[in-house]
Amino acid sequence: MMFLFLLLSANMQFDSLIQQGMYYSYSEKYEEAEDIFRKAIELKPKDPAPYLFLASLYGLYMADFSTDSLEEKFFAYSDTTVLMAKHKILSGDTSALIRLCLAGGYGARALYKAQHKDILSGIHDVVKSIKEFHKVIEIDSSLFDAYIGIAGYNYFKHRLFSYIPYTENLHWEDEIKLACNHGKYFRIVALACYSSLLIEEKRFDEAVQVATRLVSEFPETRTFRWIRVKGYCGMGEWELARDEYEKLLELTIVGQSSYFYNIGCCRLGLANAYLKLIESGLKPLPTQECKAQCEEILKLPDSPKSKKTKEKAEEILSKIPN
């Protein structure tokens, strides 16, 4: 009886660490999240879950900071996730959670490779990931987190065949909603993916509604505001876009003061929002505000990444009426 109590206590502590680490991740408190996941590894060194969430943390950090500085760590921990999960399965562990980690390990690698144009290698990981996500549902249909992978794959098919009558796969939205509303581990990721896919579908007002749920839950983070501002721009809601870019600029200057490319992107978005408001005839015209943002962009240190940002700033300056 005592052994069972200790086992249950350890499992509860482990799950609590995973949930706390995920919260820190979405709050962009990267060091705190890393510390928590490493404590989870100390508690259960052979469980693949903390390795998966460390890999995801490094991927999120690289996307947030527009860098590839943690690529080696990212692949090391995603590969470890896959190896740990496979070892568990070969040892007789038939739980859906282990399959979910295996699917997540493949999926994380596939997404990163797709983002970096390594399509051919990424396809192999996609196929393996989808296979495992389906196995999760076969084992436990109530583990709704798995639907994020299945929805992503079905969305890809929906886009691929949407031009052919009667061949569209429209199940992706129902599937991703299951992960959004009932997922335990991937709920936040599912909401972010859903909002991004709605933007791809040009359903901007719905995308904003979903992104706002995330911003409300994590108001001081940049990632979810970037999704929401894309929705505002798509809707042509330039006053809302302006306010969002102002907040993003504030958060970026505080949290990424030496990442000039990110600061430039915020200022460029803000300058463009001001230009749209000028063109709409908003009174008083925010002419000086628009010029000021462009001039700040042109002052940024030169780099290959900032070149296009500066060119776009000069283009906006040329469009500002005298």
Side-chain angles (χ1 to χ4, degrees):
M1 179 66 79
M2 180 60 69
F3 173 77
L4 180 60
F5 173 78
L6 292 173
L7 180 63
L8 289 172
S9 178
N11 287 338
M12 289 175 64
Q13 184 182 357
F14 180 78
D15 195 62
S16 177
L17 287 171
I18 293 297
Q19 295 291 340
Q20 187 179 2
M22 290 165 60
Y23 180 82
Y24 281 141
S25 298
Y26 301 135
S27 300
E28 294 169 358
K29 296 180 178 179
Y30 298 108
E31 291 183 7
E32 292 91 334
E34 186 176 35
D35 288 344
I36 291 295
F37 290 137
R38 293 199 181 281
K39 287 180 181 178
I41 289 175
E42 290 175 9
L43 192 63
K44 287 190 174 185
K46 294 184 179 180
D47 194 298
Y51 299 96
L52 171 61
F53 289 112
L54 269 173
S56 300
L57 177 70
Y58 297 141
L60 179 61
Y61 178 93
M62 288 190 286
D64 184 19
F65 282 78
S66 302
T67 180
D68 59 0
S69 62
L70 299 181
E71 184 176 88
E72 188 174 338
K73 276 188 172 183
F74 169 81
F75 278 111
Y77 279 91
S78 58
D79 290 348
T80 301
T81 302
V82 170
L83 290 173
M84 288 283 188
K86 283 184 174 181
H87 178 74
K88 284 274 191 181
I89 292 167
L90 290 173
S91 300
D93 192 327
T94 60
S95 68
L97 278 174
I98 296 301
R99 290 284 182 181
L100 184 66
C101 289
L102 181 56
Y106 284 132
R109 295 195 317 203
L111 181 60
Y112 186 86
K113 290 175 182 178
Q115 291 171 338
H116 291 77
K117 313 302 181 186
D118 187 7
I119 305 300
L120 187 60
S121 177
I123 287 174
H124 294 293
D125 287 319
V126 167
V127 172
K128 292 175 182 177
S129 177
I130 296 305
K131 179 182 176 183
E132 294 302 327
F133 276 125
H134 278 290
K135 284 184 179 178
V136 173
I137 298 302
E138 289 173 13
I139 297 169
D140 183 357
S141 60
S142 68
L143 192 54
F144 297 104
D145 300 270
Y147 282 102
I148 186 175
I150 296 170
Y153 180 63
N154 283 335
Y155 179 78
F156 169 75
K157 291 194 294 183
H158 155 70
R159 290 300 296 264
L160 186 63
F161 299 116
S162 61
Y163 64 92
I164 303 175
Y166 310 113
T167 60
E168 287 186 273
N169 188 317
L170 300 179
H171 298 304
W172 69 269
E173 192 165 1
D174 292 333
E175 290 160 347
I176 202 166
K177 282 182 178 179
L178 287 172
C180 289
N181 296 327
H182 305 293
K184 180 178 180 180
Y185 301 100
F186 299 156
R187 180 181 67 87
I188 299 300
V189 176
L191 284 166
C193 289
Y194 185 31
S195 185
S196 297
L197 294 180
L198 288 170
I199 288 172
E200 288 293 319
E201 293 292 293
K202 302 190 185 305
R203 293 162 56 184
F204 301 113
D205 55 340
E206 295 172 76
V208 165
Q209 290 177 30
V210 176
T212 297
R213 290 172 61 181
L214 293 167
V215 173
S216 297
E217 197 166 343
F218 302 94
E220 296 304 308
T221 62
R222 296 170 293 270
T223 303
F224 305 131
R225 288 184 181 275
W226 277 113
I227 299 173
R228 186 165 72 170
V229 80
K230 288 181 183 178
Y232 286 148
C233 292
M235 295 167 67
E237 292 287 351
W238 296 110
E239 291 186 69
L240 292 173
R242 174 202 61 199
D243 295 344
E244 193 77 285
Y245 278 123
E246 286 177 347
K247 182 63 176 178
L248 275 165
L249 180 59
E250 174 192 325
L251 292 170
T252 302
I253 289 174
V254 170
Q256 301 177 326
S257 58
S258 60
Y259 286 77
F260 302 115
Y261 173 73
N262 290 9
I263 292 172
C265 287
C266 292
R267 292 194 184 280
L268 185 65
L270 184 53
N272 186 61
Y274 281 134
L275 179 63
K276 295 295 183 182
L277 290 171
I278 291 169
E279 292 173 346
S280 72
L282 178 73
K283 301 295 182 181
L285 293 177
T287 304
Q288 294 306 314
E289 292 88 339
C290 187
K291 286 181 179 179
Q293 293 303 323
C294 292
E295 288 166 358
E296 288 296 323
I297 292 169
L298 297 176
K299 292 177 186 176
L300 293 173
D302 289 329
S303 71
K305 291 177 72 173
S306 68
K307 183 179 179 181
K308 286 186 177 180
T309 307
K310 291 188 176 186
E311 288 174 353
K312 290 178 181 177
E314 289 174 341
E315 184 180 339
I316 290 175
L317 278 172
S318 70
K319 293 180 180 178
I320 300 174
N322 297 323

